[in-house]
Amino acid sequence: MDPLATLGRHPYFAALPAHILKAVATRVVVRAYERGALVYMEEEPSHGLYLLASGGVRVFKASDDGKEQDLHHIGPGQSFSDAAAFDGNPTIANAQAIEPSVVLLIRREALLDLIREYPEIGVAVIGVLASRLREVSGLAGDLALRRLTPRVASVVLRLAESEPVATLPTRHELAAMVGTVREVATRALRHLEDIGLVRLEGRRVRILDRAGLPRLPGNTELASAMPPARPGEL
């Protein structure tokens, strides 16, 4: 097993010059795990950065009553326990080999020494972590929009009553009504238009599918309370 090959596949190290990559390889500890073996447990002190050379590792949370929830499945060339390796805090989940696996460990002290000696490593790490932060921020925004869109739909239905058109308050007022900010409330309205449930006409919202609005995910209570649409209301 060649540590250089594994390091060369990871975005932290892939673009480094050969002499830096070799310097990193000299600080690697190689560990082998049988299927089912724990690499580490949640809340353990951080040992460093792990990179999977071969096999497979699952990162998971476990509750006090024994229930488990997988967070990530790690494949060859990927790293895990990154957060604990960089901030020095305890691990935030468990890691377990799901098949016979070879793992490279760069101990935290060695990792920090390498970053001090070769700032190029730190620049690469910053770039990768910034990209991951963008992905997480985008996911959080999407999840927030999914939660808020049914609430906006409920407001539209309530304001319209039995009419086919609702006159909205200002976007700031609408945002306050659903517990968000103006930009997210506006995105939720546009999403309702994009999926064909309403048409935006300035401050007015024309309901195109009265039956579809309460059936949005998260609107089940409203859906059960709504009477069937009457002819001419769509």
Side-chain angles (χ1 to χ4, degrees):
M1 193 280 303
D2 181 8
L4 282 173
T6 300
L7 292 170
R9 283 187 285 175
H10 194 283
Y12 289 160
F13 309 106
L16 295 177
H19 72 283
I20 299 180
L21 202 60
K22 290 178 181 178
V24 176
T26 63
R27 310 301 296 271
V28 162
V29 178
V30 180
R31 292 182 171 178
Y33 296 89
E34 296 298 322
R35 179 182 178 183
L38 284 171
V39 181
Y40 56 78
M41 295 182 66
E42 183 177 356
E43 295 297 328
E44 279 187 2
S46 170
H47 295 294
L49 179 68
Y50 296 84
L51 296 95
L52 185 62
S54 64
V57 168
R58 72 174 182 128
V59 177
F60 67 98
K61 300 279 283 187
S63 64
D64 293 337
D65 61 1
K67 293 180 180 178
E68 297 179 353
Q69 175 64 56
D70 285 4
L71 303 178
H72 307 287
H73 277 229
I74 307 300
Q78 296 180 316
S79 59
F80 53 106
S81 195
D82 301 51
F86 289 117
D87 67 17
N89 288 320
T91 55
I92 59 177
N94 308 280
Q96 181 183 41
I98 55 176
E99 59 183 285
S101 302
V102 176
V103 175
L104 308 184
L105 170 64
I106 307 176
R107 296 191 185 278
R108 184 169 187 272
E109 298 78 9
L111 181 62
L112 296 180
D113 286 344
L114 286 164
I115 291 173
R116 294 186 189 101
E117 185 173 357
Y118 303 105
E120 297 95 329
I121 299 175
V123 172
V125 168
I126 290 170
V128 173
L129 296 183
S131 175
R132 291 179 183 174
L133 181 59
R134 287 181 181 274
E135 292 177 3
V136 171
S137 296
L139 177 60
D142 288 344
L143 291 174
L145 184 62
R146 290 179 188 178
R147 289 195 301 268
L148 282 162
T149 300
R151 300 214 295 266
V152 171
S154 298
V155 170
V156 169
L157 286 169
R158 188 167 66 249
L159 293 174
E161 296 182 338
S162 61
E163 299 298 319
V165 176
T167 300
L168 295 176
T170 67
R171 293 293 191 267
H172 286 292
E173 292 170 335
L174 175 63
M177 292 170 70
V178 296
T180 187
V181 295
R182 178 182 183 278
E183 291 77 10
V184 178
T186 299
R187 284 181 62 198
L189 278 172
R190 289 175 180 162
H191 180 64
L192 291 175
E193 184 174 48
D194 289 343
I195 61 178
L197 298 180
V198 303
R199 183 169 65 243
L200 302 181
E201 301 172 349
R203 287 276 296 277
R204 289 156 50 95
V205 178
R206 184 170 298 277
I207 298 173
L208 304 179
D209 185 352
R210 182 175 292 272
L213 284 172
R215 295 196 180 102
L216 286 168
N219 239 2
T220 53
E221 291 184 5
L222 180 62
S224 62
M226 286 291 294
R230 295 191 296 270
E233 285 189 348
L234 301 184

